[in-house]
Amino acid sequence: MKKTLLISFVLMVAVLTSVLAQVTKTVTGKVTSALDGSPLPGVNVVVKGTTQGVISDVDGKYSIEVPSVGGTLVFSFVGMNTSEVAVGDNATINLAMETDIAQLSEVVVTALGIEREKRSVGYAVTQVGGSQLTNSRETNMVQALAGKVAGVQVMGGGGTPGASSKIILRGNKSFGDNQPLFVIDGIPMDNSTDASNAGDNPYEPTLEQVNYSNRAVDINPNDIESMTVLKGPAAAALYGVRGGNGVIMITTKKGKFGQKTRVDINSSIDFSQVNKLPDLQTTYGQSDGSPQSWGAKNTQAGVNNAEKFFKTGVTTSNDVAITSGTEKNSYRLSVGHLHQDGIIPTTNFSRFTARLTAQSELRKDLTASTTVSFTNSGGRRAQQGSNASGVMLSLLRAPSSFDLLDAYNHPNADGSQNNYWAGYDNTYWSLHHNPFKDNNKRLIGNISLNYTPMDWLKVTYRLGLDNYTDYRRGIYDIGAHNSAEVANGQITENYKRHLEIYSDLIISANKEFTEKIHGSLSLGNNINQRENSDLYSRGRGFSIDNFFNMNNAASFYSSQYDERIRSAAFFYDGNISYNNMLFIGSTGRQEYSSTFGPNRRHFFFASATGSFVFTELEAIKNSNITNFGKLRLSYARSANTPSAYDWIKYPYKQPSFADGYTNGFSLPYLGTNGYGHSNTIGNPDLKPEFTAGPEVGLEVNFLKDRIKADVTYYNQKTTDIILESPASPSSGYTAKLSNAATIVNKGWEISLSGTPVKTKDFDWTIDVNYTRNRNEVTALAKGVSEQELASGFEDARIFAIVGKPYGSIYGTKWQRDSNGKIIVGANGRPLKTTTLYDLGNPYPDFIMGIRNTFTYKDFKLSALLDIHQGGKMWNGTNARLNRFGVSAASASVDRSQMMVVDGVKEDGSKNDIQITPQEYYTYYKGDLGAVEENVQDISWVRLREVSLGYTIRKIKYVQAVDITFTGRNLWLKSNYVGMDPETSLTGAGSNYNGIDWFGMPNTKSYNIALHITL
């Protein structure tokens, strides 16, 4: 019986096997990316309606059994559109999967590099793609953000090579640095803009010298995959005392496992020109015995020295990147070189970059990754600003009867420089004889280990460093007029060194408690050490011409500064969600820092966030109008740290004296050195500057994402701001450090996008961002209602005033009667006040960016309009040009006729006292008049970018060729007199704006770029 049953079973299996062989067949194929043709490993291939499926291998290949009568294969992969393909009679099915833009946009990088679904984030996060940065063709990635993100204000430092760019998120919050923390691949990177400053210089160095670079210029934009802007305290709270000003998260490009080898070649050339200059007159010549132009009419055609001075700048950029991957390893290697010759002769900037990123799967539960980048940047810069050797100062003041270039080519009989005034350097002479060069070498690297012992548990350890040495060398040749001290020649050498070592240990757990409830928790530790050193050396009095060496100097000076900051923190990030609809999160960070006073060694920072995706409600879940909607709410506290050693109560320093007119002096003096107590008392009880407040937002997408809107309102108060408050003179000190000031920032951020037209071959999209921030200083030190932030000019100053925006312009006004008429003195000149008044806010009422993008087949046209409404600037350049009689306005009148200031006499009668045109443009329209006369509105509308691109596909051996023509700043509308108002004399290294004093002009440029993908 058993034998019979066994035989029957064997026969049955044989029959079933035969039947199954007749009703199934094998289908094979390869899955690739439609974007670049690379194979896609890990794609799920499933027979629809069954559980039968396979996963594609490292080469994107698969093999699956399907019913012989056909059926349908379903292909699914993260970040790709799911595709269904009918089998039919096919034995081979190859598929190129399309990118799912909607899926990709749902994942954002948040603090500490943690990726989260965008729908779960309870605060505003904006992600900018790398292509949006590179398409602008800016050398500086910070400048490339201008006009692109709501809540972000970018201020350029001028159009010179390597010029700095300043970025502020949601307004000024501190009397110290107001720029955000930059983090690249999880590691903080320095973005400082440090001037070279001698220890015996009592003045603000950024008002003269050169336009320095902010250190973000060391990053090659072509290496950036994306940039995430964390604007509020809730977004940045996990960075503790370094997140008070927000965070810019940079993610660089990397290889992928199983990726086919890909080569990207980028090459571009850029031509730049001055976009706007002051209008100068060429009718009247130089006055006798004066640098001014109140002389007789020119007997021959006058020279506009500014128009003939600038040249076309040329920038070339070339880089190559190789990306590849195997089943368990991947890498990306890039090398790039940029060289920029400026619009100002002799000026240039170069940047060499090399970056290697690699990752490896050591085991199924352990992966390792590393990034190493090297940058060598620097160039030759020109003197600027309040500087008798400054390029623009001598150039713009030059009389039209004097040709600067001809004078440079024909020096005086004794060989000294030839110029229209002995107190200034000839612009061309200064360029060739007063060079300033810098050379920065930088290494940024990290290593990361990810261990996943269980599918719900992950351990990450990250160790990184940022290290650079910036060597600077400045020369004032014999005969330079910067100051009396440099007349016999000066050489300076400055070594700046920065080192940061940073580590994170993060343990993350994800758990599905029920089908609808999901939770996650991350616990971590951070350790950080930063070191900065500055060694400055100076030699004066050359013995030999053209020998620029310390050994050639007769006198020497040196100063040195070193600091070390250490911090440690423990933190958590917890989140829970219900039904993929309601999300609640909280973060906390306990921070210990050496910058805190010994009595205040640690502080706690926390955030609470909520997100409600109301389109998951059953009543509107399947709406044909609103396909996505989310409410956000958050409250958080972040901070800015005190400076190193502010907590030392009685610091020592070398005494110095300054009178505002000379260079002053300090110890060592005449061979004698010494130290004394600082005039400012330190504070061992110093706390961080806390920024806290609520943020509420609404995100709504309509008509299957054809229309998107994101609206945010915030109200953030920064308290315990550190400042120098007055001290009782009987104490022996003039000031003391204290946590005293308060600043409030509140405003609206709106981002809108829409696709009015979308067809098979043609798309038209519109993106709009709007920023409105209101800033107010609500408190200073007890009994103090105003405090000067920066000095250097006798008239126009920058103040913090209670009840006013931070950084208000402060200066004299005209004396007026009850009807607002200017009161004129007995000499016919208008009378100005003896006290100073608030004259305006240098920051805008609102900023708006409007981008239109048109795509037709393989053509793409994009234009970005940048609108800056409101804001004031003291136009000191125009005021001085009026006084000197070189402005076009000063020659628009008949100089042989007397003039009358429109106003009233001191007795109230209408003014009829005549004065000369020179007096009119000196004491009324010039810089000897009231400051208010030359405080101007800086509103503008500009065509920030316009680009036209074409993609050529499927060439033999080439995946694609992209050709793009780009223009920047091609059109500008502004009532500001003189240069482009998007300028900053003090650059990104200062904490204020609103001063225009012979800084560098801005540029417009034309660029052609080629991108080849192999």
Side-chain angles (χ1 to χ4, degrees):
M1 181 65 180
K2 291 182 179 180
K3 185 176 181 181
T4 302
L5 288 174
L6 179 61
I7 294 172
S8 299
F9 178 75
V10 172
L11 290 174
M12 182 177 66
V13 171
V15 171
L16 288 173
T17 303
S18 176
V19 171
L20 288 173
Q22 293 175 10
V23 298
T24 63
K25 66 178 181 180
T26 301
V27 174
T28 61
K30 184 176 182 179
V31 189
T32 59
S33 168
L35 182 65
D36 56 15
S38 60
L40 292 178
V43 175
N44 291 306
V45 185
V46 179
V47 178
K48 187 174 182 180
T50 74
T51 58
Q52 184 179 353
V54 296
I55 297 176
S56 60
D57 64 15
V58 68
D59 296 316
K61 296 179 180 180
Y62 71 93
S63 177
I64 189 172
E65 295 294 322
V66 301
S68 60
V69 294
T72 300
L73 293 182
V74 180
F75 297 81
S76 61
F77 189 65
V78 176
M80 298 291 180
N81 287 321
T82 299
S83 300
E84 295 186 5
V85 181
V87 176
D89 296 329
N90 298 312
T92 301
I93 297 178
N94 297 321
L95 179 67
M97 299 190 74
E98 297 285 348
T99 301
D100 184 349
I101 301 299
Q103 278 193 46
L104 291 180
S105 65
E106 290 178 355
V107 178
V108 293
V109 179
T110 62
L112 301 177
I114 299 171
E115 292 188 350
R116 294 180 58 186
E117 286 187 76
K118 188 174 182 181
R119 63 164 47 211
S120 70
V121 178
Y123 45 81
V125 176
T126 303
Q127 190 160 295
V128 181
S131 61
Q132 291 178 264
L133 301 174
T134 56
N135 286 346
S136 67
R137 309 300 168 191
E138 293 280 4
T139 301
N140 194 323
M141 68 173 181
V142 172
Q143 191 63 33
L145 281 173
K148 294 182 174 70
V149 180
V152 174
Q153 183 181 6
V154 176
M155 292 151 281
T160 54
S164 65
S165 291
K166 181 192 295 185
I167 180 171
I168 295 178
L169 311 182
R170 294 185 177 175
N172 294 291
K173 307 174 186 69
S174 174
F175 284 32
D177 186 15
N178 276 297
Q179 296 196 76
L181 172 69
F182 277 69
V183 178
I184 183 166
D185 293 331
I187 305 300
M189 60 165 280
D190 180 75
N191 182 41
S192 61
T193 309
D194 288 334
S196 289
N197 193 29
D200 62 349
N201 178 23
Y203 301 116
E204 171 59 53
T206 58
L207 295 175
E208 54 174 348
Q209 300 187 4
V210 301
N211 197 333
Y212 298 95
S213 296
N214 62 300
R215 291 272 54 96
V217 77
D218 296 331
I219 304 301
N220 182 355
N222 283 316
D223 286 330
I224 297 176
E225 179 72 28
S226 66
M227 189 180 290
T228 303
V229 184
L230 308 179
K231 291 170 278 193
L238 277 176
Y239 285 102
V241 294
R242 302 181 73 182
N245 297 326
V247 181
I248 304 292
M249 304 279 297
I250 301 170
T251 302
T252 61
K253 296 176 180 176
K254 302 173 178 62
K256 299 176 182 177
F257 292 135
Q259 181 176 356
K260 182 181 178 181
T261 299
R262 166 175 167 159
V263 180
D264 290 278
I265 301 170
N266 288 282
S267 184
S268 67
I269 186 168
D270 185 284
F271 303 95
S272 58
Q273 300 172 332
V274 173
N275 72 331
K276 194 172 185 289
L277 286 172
D279 292 329
L280 305 178
Q281 61 92 4
T282 57
T283 304
Y284 298 93
Q286 186 172 1
S287 310
D288 292 336
S290 166
Q292 301 184 15
S293 294
W294 292 104
K297 281 190 175 182
N298 293 320
T299 57
Q300 55 187 6
V303 178
N304 189 321
N305 285 282
E307 285 187 354
K308 65 183 295 185
F309 173 73
F310 297 97
K311 66 186 186 74
T312 298
V314 179
T315 301
T316 57
S317 177
N318 299 282
D319 61 72
V320 59
I322 303 173
T323 310
S324 186
T326 63
E327 185 177 358
K328 294 187 177 182
N329 299 283
S330 68
Y331 72 90
R332 182 181 185 271
L333 173 65
S334 68
V335 178
H337 182 265
L338 175 141
H339 182 78
Q340 185 178 20
D341 284 319
I343 56 173
I344 295 175
T346 76
T347 61
N348 58 67
F349 176 80
S350 293
R351 180 182 65 210
F352 169 81
T353 58
R355 175 178 291 271
L356 173 64
T357 301
Q359 52 186 337
S360 178
E361 183 182 300
L362 304 179
R363 300 185 331 202
K364 287 186 177 181
D365 59 358
L366 181 64
T367 60
S369 62
T370 185
T371 298
V372 180
S373 68
F374 172 77
T375 302
N376 186 192
S377 64
R380 177 167 173 156
R381 304 170 192 264
Q383 301 292 327
Q384 66 168 12
S386 185
N387 180 347
S389 298
V391 167
M392 297 301 292
L393 186 145
S394 179
L395 176 68
L396 295 181
R397 298 182 186 186
S400 62
S401 56
F402 190 91
D403 190 324
L404 286 170
L405 179 59
D406 182 69
Y408 171 70
N409 291 325
H410 298 86
N412 296 323
D414 61 358
S416 61
Q417 62 169 308
N418 183 2
N419 202 20
Y420 61 91
W421 184 247
Y424 305 151
D425 284 347
N426 181 301
T427 297
Y428 295 92
W429 189 93
S430 183
L431 288 174
H432 290 88
H433 290 262
N434 300 328
F436 184 98
K437 298 180 180 180
D438 62 315
N439 184 14
N440 183 282
K441 296 179 179 179
R442 185 172 197 171
L443 181 69
I444 300 177
N446 69 74
I447 183 170
S448 179
L449 296 173
N450 290 287
Y451 174 52
T452 311
M454 288 166 276
D455 58 2
W456 57 271
L457 183 65
K458 180 180 178 181
V459 180
T460 299
Y461 179 72
R462 183 188 301 126
L463 176 66
L465 68 83
D466 177 14
N467 178 222
Y468 66 77
T469 301
D470 190 359
Y471 169 66
R472 303 169 178 183
R473 187 171 187 262
I475 301 294
Y476 283 109
D477 204 349
I478 296 174
H481 293 104
N482 174 265
S483 67
E485 288 81 3
V486 307
N488 293 319
Q490 174 180 288
I491 178 173
T492 62
E493 292 189 349
N494 187 199
Y495 287 89
K496 291 180 178 289
R497 175 180 173 270
H498 172 80
L499 171 65
E500 175 164 0
I501 300 175
Y502 180 94
S503 74
D504 279 327
L505 175 63
I506 305 174
I507 302 173
S508 302
N510 291 273
K511 181 69 174 177
E512 289 189 9
F513 299 104
T514 68
E515 184 179 346
K516 293 185 177 182
I517 299 177
H518 179 269
S520 66
L521 177 65
S522 295
L523 301 175
N525 164 254
N526 168 253
I527 299 175
N528 174 265
Q529 177 170 301
R530 282 165 282 158
E531 297 178 1
N532 292 290
S533 62
D534 187 314
L535 178 60
Y536 181 95
S537 302
R538 182 181 67 213
R540 285 175 174 168
F542 294 154
S543 301
I544 305 172
D545 287 347
N546 299 316
F547 180 40
F548 305 118
N549 190 286
M550 285 289 180
N551 291 327
N552 191 33
S555 64
F556 302 93
Y557 172 83
S558 65
S559 59
Q560 183 172 352
Y561 175 78
D562 298 284
E563 71 174 26
R564 175 181 293 168
I565 297 173
R566 288 176 174 170
S567 67
F570 299 93
F571 56 84
Y572 75 86
D573 181 3
N575 300 275
I576 191 167
S577 66
Y578 172 75
N579 203 25
N580 207 29
M581 176 174 62
L582 180 63
F583 303 86
I584 298 174
S586 173
T587 68
R589 179 179 175 108
Q590 181 74 19
E591 182 122 13
Y592 303 80
S593 175
S594 62
T595 62
F596 303 159
N599 302 330
R600 304 269 190 169
R601 280 303 187 192
H602 56 86
F603 291 90
F604 184 72
F605 310 94
S607 74
T609 64
S611 172
F612 174 50
V613 182
F614 54 83
T615 44
E616 290 294 321
L617 294 171
E618 290 297 328
I620 57 175
K621 189 171 185 178
N622 298 316
S623 171
N624 293 324
I625 299 176
T626 306
N627 59 283
F628 179 78
K630 182 179 83 169
L631 286 170
R632 304 188 311 262
L633 178 64
S634 65
Y635 187 93
R637 185 171 82 156
S638 59
N640 285 321
T641 183
S643 299
Y645 314 128
D646 278 352
W647 56 268
I648 298 177
K649 190 167 186 178
Y650 300 114
Y652 285 88
K653 65 178 296 185
Q654 292 171 310
S656 62
F657 169 80
D659 57 12
Y661 297 95
T662 68
N663 278 352
F665 66 89
S666 69
L667 295 178
Y669 184 70
L670 298 178
T672 301
N673 197 10
Y675 281 83
H677 283 302
S678 169
N679 290 329
T680 302
I681 306 174
N683 189 344
D685 294 315
L686 281 181
K687 299 180 290 185
E689 301 173 345
F690 294 104
T691 297
E695 174 188 314
V696 60
L698 171 66
E699 298 174 40
V700 187
N701 297 357
F702 301 98
L703 304 176
K704 297 183 179 180
D705 296 340
R706 290 284 292 271
I707 302 174
K708 298 181 179 181
D710 187 335
V711 181
T712 302
Y713 174 78
Y714 59 89
N715 188 340
Q716 295 164 5
K717 177 186 289 188
T718 304
T719 59
D720 298 315
I721 297 173
I722 299 169
L723 50 73
E724 292 186 3
S725 55
S728 172
S730 62
S731 68
Y733 297 88
T734 60
K736 60 181 178 181
L737 287 175
S738 60
N739 296 101
T742 301
I743 294 177
V744 173
N745 286 280
K746 54 186 176 182
W748 292 88
E749 298 165 357
I750 302 175
S751 298
L752 303 173
S753 65
T755 307
V757 180
K758 184 176 181 65
T759 66
K760 178 182 178 182
D761 295 325
F762 179 76
D763 283 356
W764 171 26
T765 61
I766 303 175
D767 297 288
V768 179
N769 66 79
Y770 170 88
T771 301
R772 180 186 185 274
N773 183 72
R774 292 295 178 265
N775 175 281
E776 181 183 353
V777 178
T778 59
L780 293 171
K782 185 177 181 179
V784 177
S785 60
E786 59 188 40
Q787 181 157 330
E788 189 169 10
L789 300 177
S791 61
F793 294 97
E794 184 176 355
D795 293 328
R797 304 180 184 182
I798 305 298
F799 268 72
I801 308 169
V802 174
K804 300 291 183 178
Y806 173 90
S808 294
I809 302 172
Y810 219 45
T812 55
K813 300 176 71 173
W814 295 122
Q815 295 184 31
R816 298 178 186 270
D817 66 7
S818 59
N819 295 318
K821 291 285 188 179
I822 295 175
I823 299 174
V824 180
N827 57 7
R829 301 170 184 174
L831 300 177
K832 58 184 179 180
T833 60
T834 56
T835 56
L836 305 181
Y837 294 87
D838 171 35
L839 300 179
N841 175 17
Y843 297 95
D845 298 327
F846 70 82
I847 303 171
M848 181 181 291
I850 304 174
R851 181 185 290 279
N852 281 273
T853 303
F854 305 91
T855 304
Y856 176 71
K857 293 186 177 180
D858 291 323
F859 287 93
K860 184 176 183 179
L861 174 65
S862 180
L864 174 62
L865 203 63
D866 185 9
I867 301 170
H868 184 290
Q869 180 60 44
K872 302 291 184 180
M873 186 174 316
W874 176 60
N875 196 338
T877 300
N878 182 68
R880 180 55 62 92
L881 296 183
N882 281 338
R883 174 183 167 187
F884 271 45
V886 294
S887 67
S890 68
S892 63
V893 299
D894 186 348
R895 290 189 175 183
S896 65
Q897 301 295 316
M898 302 295 283
M899 303 182 71
V900 176
V901 175
D902 184 18
V904 297
K905 299 178 184 178
E906 293 179 86
D907 62 7
S909 62
K910 183 176 176 59
N911 178 49
D912 58 2
I913 305 172
Q914 296 183 338
I915 56 177
T916 65
Q918 183 174 358
E919 287 180 290
Y920 186 89
Y921 281 96
T922 298
Y923 297 99
Y924 181 32
K925 297 296 183 180
D927 61 342
L928 292 186
V931 173
E932 75 163 315
E933 187 64 31
N934 285 284
V935 173
Q936 299 178 1
D937 182 83
I938 56 175
S939 298
W940 73 64
V941 179
R942 72 177 69 235
L943 185 60
R944 174 72 65 179
E945 299 170 13
V946 60
S947 64
L948 175 63
Y950 177 66
T951 301
I952 306 171
R953 305 181 189 275
K954 297 180 180 179
I955 308 173
K956 191 174 183 180
Y957 305 120
V958 177
Q959 292 185 32
V961 176
D962 296 296
I963 304 173
T964 306
F965 299 90
T966 303
R968 294 195 307 273
N969 278 339
L970 299 187
W971 175 76
L972 171 66
K973 178 176 175 57
S974 176
N975 293 325
Y976 187 76
V977 177
M979 294 186 292
D980 187 338
E982 188 184 38
T983 185
S984 174
L985 169 64
T986 55
S990 72
N991 199 25
Y992 58 89
N993 288 331
I995 301 292
D996 179 350
W997 185 263
F998 299 97
M1000 297 300 186
N1002 211 339
T1003 60
K1004 58 183 178 182
S1005 63
Y1006 310 86
N1007 181 286
I1008 180 171
L1010 182 68
H1011 177 202
I1012 301 174
T1013 305
L1014 305 177

